[in-house]
Amino acid sequence: MNIIHFETIDFTNTYLKNNYKQLDNLTIVSSDVQSNGRGRNNRKWDSSKGNNLLFSILIKDENIIRKYKSLSIISAYTIIQILKQYGINDVYLKWPNDVIVNNKKICGVLLEAVSKNAIECLIIGVGLNVNEDKFDKEYLIEATSMKNELNKTIDLNELKDIVYKKFIENINTDYDFYDDIKECDYLKNKRVSIQINNKLKNVEVIGIDHDYSLKVKDKDKTINIETGEASMHI
Ligand code: BTN
């Protein structure tokens, strides 16, 4: 495994964006802390030093790039597998990129692409709350951590090793995760407000579809929403 670790960096995704040409496929960049951590829609992603898992994985292999529609969801699902291994069982995937425990967010995934004429590389950024025990209330959804859920401090180095190995395994496999993923679909059957092309709609979620889009019912019409197309509130 190629792992580049920083004590501090602005943003692990940006490091890979700036250096992908000279780095190998599946290089992992991690940091104890980020000075400018970002989540989806440019929201800030705060994390105190050395308490959490903050890393990004570089994807250059064309066969994996082709699976880009599923990568954010498979990444979140990988974290779910690991949380279950640690004994956290009430865990769900909130389409397209959040991991939810007891209705609180424990992990987020930020998938970004570097494109010229075609996609040159993908970058999967993952922030998993591990030993953080206090969170600002300013986030859209309340946050939690492994420590808060398990009432014990987690060995971060041991966890890193398990997480990185599982990610590499799941990204490389041709296994179809769909049946496993639909079992932990947080939004299924919920009513959500969803912003699609600047229009706010109140829809009923049918669930994650086989192509990893989100199938929703808008009045009597069924539509499929692609990742990145929508932002939503429950
Ligand atoms: C989200 O839920 O909006 C996605 C959060 C992604 C956070 C991770 S932490 C590692 C990588 N570096 C960042 O600044 N963001 C991602």
Side-chain angles (χ1 to χ4, degrees), residues 101-147:
V101 175
N102 289 327
N103 291 314
K104 296 176 188 162
K105 178 161 167 170
I106 197 165
C107 172
V109 177
L110 177 64
L111 180 72
E112 297 187 286
V114 175
S115 309
K116 300 228 163 113
N117 292 327
I119 297 178
E120 303 244 315
C121 73
L122 294 174
I123 295 156
I124 306 173
V126 181
L128 172 62
N129 299 331
V130 182
N131 288 322
E132 194 84 64
D133 47 18
K134 293 201 176 56
F135 295 95
D136 285 351
K137 295 273 178 213
E138 66 185 274
Y139 290 105
L140 289 175
I141 174 163
E142 210 181 322
T144 189
S145 64
M146 292 177 73
K147 182 180 179 185

Side-chain angles (χ1 to χ4, degrees), residues 14 41 138 143 179 216 230:
T14 309
N41 303 322
E138 66 185 274
D179 285 341
V216 302

Side-chain angles (χ1 to χ4, degrees), residues 9-14 29-31 34-47 53-57 97-99 105 107-112 123-128 141:
I9 194 171
D10 53 350
F11 185 0
T12 52
N13 278 30
T14 309
V29 174
S30 64
S31 188
Q34 298 180 122
S35 56
N36 188 24
R38 293 281 131 193
R40 271 165 58 94
N41 303 322
N42 212 26
R43 283 194 285 265
K44 72 179 172 128
W45 185 266
D46 277 339
S47 173
L53 216 48
L54 308 166
F55 66 96
S56 302
I57 304 181
N97 70 318
D98 289 346
V99 179
K105 178 161 167 170
C107 172
V109 177
L110 177 64
L111 180 72
E112 297 187 286
I123 295 156
I124 306 173
V126 181
L128 172 62
I141 174 163

Side-chain angles (χ1 to χ4, degrees), residues 2-233:
N2 289 332
I3 301 172
I4 304 170
H5 183 75
F6 293 91
E7 264 184 39
T8 177
I9 194 171
D10 53 350
F11 185 0
T12 52
N13 278 30
T14 309
Y15 180 87
L16 288 177
K17 267 188 221 162
N18 293 339
N19 296 286
Y20 74 94
K21 284 199 174 133
Q22 61 270 23
L23 294 171
D24 290 336
N25 183 47
L26 299 180
T27 296
I28 295 173
V29 174
S30 64
S31 188
D32 289 340
V33 70
Q34 298 180 122
S35 56
N36 188 24
R38 293 281 131 193
R40 271 165 58 94
N41 303 322
N42 212 26
R43 283 194 285 265
K44 72 179 172 128
W45 185 266
D46 277 339
S47 173
S48 64
K49 189 166 183 176
N51 272 328
N52 302 301
L53 216 48
L54 308 166
F55 66 96
S56 302
I57 304 181
L58 176 66
I59 312 287
K60 288 171 81 172
D61 181 318
E62 281 178 18
N63 291 322
I64 309 175
I65 289 179
R66 239 177 262 135
K67 301 192 287 189
Y68 73 96
K69 282 193 182 172
S70 63
L71 282 178
S72 174
I73 292 179
I74 289 173
S75 301
Y77 181 68
T78 304
I79 295 293
I80 290 179
Q81 287 181 309
I82 286 153
L83 293 176
K84 287 194 169 161
Q85 205 173 313
Y86 273 77
I88 301 177
N89 289 309
D90 185 25
V91 47
Y92 290 91
L93 195 157
K94 179 167 167 261
W95 185 91
N97 70 318
D98 289 346
V99 179
I100 305 289
V101 175
N102 289 327
N103 291 314
K104 296 176 188 162
K105 178 161 167 170
I106 197 165
C107 172
V109 177
L110 177 64
L111 180 72
E112 297 187 286
V114 175
S115 309
K116 300 228 163 113
N117 292 327
I119 297 178
E120 303 244 315
C121 73
L122 294 174
I123 295 156
I124 306 173
V126 181
L128 172 62
N129 299 331
V130 182
N131 288 322
E132 194 84 64
D133 47 18
K134 293 201 176 56
F135 295 95
D136 285 351
K137 295 273 178 213
E138 66 185 274
Y139 290 105
L140 289 175
I141 174 163
E142 210 181 322
T144 189
S145 64
M146 292 177 73
K147 182 180 179 185
N148 284 359
E149 295 304 316
L150 293 169
N151 289 316
K152 64 173 187 197
T153 303
I154 307 297
D155 181 330
L156 206 55
N157 285 328
E158 199 177 282
L159 177 69
K160 270 184 192 169
D161 207 47
I162 297 173
V163 169
Y164 295 164
K165 282 194 185 125
K166 199 74 184 160
F167 263 84
I168 305 288
E169 184 187 318
N170 286 356
I171 287 170
N172 271 321
T173 182
D174 285 328
Y175 175 76
D176 183 353
F177 288 94
Y178 181 66
D179 285 341
D180 309 278
I181 285 170
K182 70 177 197 255
E183 291 305 311
C184 49
D185 185 349
Y186 183 73
L187 293 176
K188 190 177 173 148
N189 298 331
K190 286 195 166 76
R191 282 210 83 85
V192 299
S193 296
I194 191 156
Q195 186 144 354
I196 311 169
N197 304 326
N198 285 332
K199 268 202 200 130
L200 195 66
K201 287 174 187 258
N202 189 270
V203 296
E204 186 187 330
V205 176
I206 297 169
I208 300 172
D209 216 344
H210 209 139
D211 63 355
Y212 296 104
S213 62
L214 189 71
K215 194 183 238 184
V216 302
K217 211 164 149 190
D218 178 18
K219 299 189 182 100
D220 46 9
K221 231 174 51 200
T222 297
I223 48 177
N224 280 65
I225 301 161
E226 298 288 338
T227 317
E229 212 176 45
S231 66
M232 70 181 73
H233 304 284

